[in-house]
Amino acid sequence: MDLQEWLRAGYDRFSGQYPKFHKMDALSKLGWLAAEVLLKHAPVQALPPEAVGMVLSNRSGSLDTDIRYYATVKDIASPALFVYTLPNIVMGEICIRHGFKGENIFFVSENFDAELMSSYPAQLLATTPLQACLCGWVEVMGDDYEVALFLLEKTPKGQASPATAEALNERYKIST
């Protein structure tokens, strides 16, 4: 199954009615779908919109979409693709869907950086009004993709484990 078929199957299985999904680029679809699964039973919907932030990263930025967009420039540039020529657009799509309005940032690095994904959200949770932070890795380049999202909370609940770099690295290895 190619990436687009897999994303469509995931959408059909986990999401339901959200017509805007079909207009998104592959990076946004992958991050959005992973957030749907992760947040399905998470209590973050009860938090004020400003209390949920996001810290995401990947290796390629929006290069997959940039290449597709550039191919359209030869004839008539595609405004539908141009909208997705920034990697942080995936965060915007997740925020629109869930109503999040907290701080967010997108990093580009060669590999998943567990130290950054534990320390930066921890700093945000300690120094801003954020109560929860969605963080992780969302990578798409051609038919290669990886996604690993984590929900970190200011006050962990239930069986939550500490969000150390070691713990995130272990979860990343399991999810990819």
Side-chain angles (χ1 to χ4, degrees), residues 75-152:
D75 297 318
I76 298 174
S78 169
L81 283 174
F82 178 75
V83 171
Y84 293 97
T85 57
L86 291 173
N88 65 327
I89 299 302
V90 61
M91 294 189 308
E93 296 291 3
I94 295 167
C95 287
I96 290 167
R97 169 70 163 168
H98 295 282
F100 301 154
K101 295 182 181 179
E103 284 199 45
N104 60 69
I105 189 165
F106 196 103
F107 293 103
V108 177
S109 59
E110 188 60 33
N111 297 301
F112 175 73
D113 186 342
E115 181 61 39
L116 178 66
M117 285 299 131
S118 64
S119 63
Y120 197 91
Q123 181 181 3
L124 289 175
L125 291 168
T127 61
T128 71
L130 292 186
Q131 299 296 308
C133 188
L134 183 66
C135 65
W137 179 264
V138 182
E139 166 70 12
V140 172
M141 190 63 207
D143 282 332
D144 296 326
Y145 59 93
E146 290 179 274
V147 63
L149 293 185
F150 315 101
L151 181 63
L152 307 181

Side-chain angles (χ1 to χ4, degrees), residues 149-171:
L149 293 185
F150 315 101
L151 181 63
L152 307 181
E153 297 177 89
K154 190 173 216 166
T155 309
K157 297 167 187 72
Q159 297 178 338
S161 59
T164 63
E166 294 80 22
L168 290 184
N169 241 343
E170 283 304 310
R171 291 182 197 141

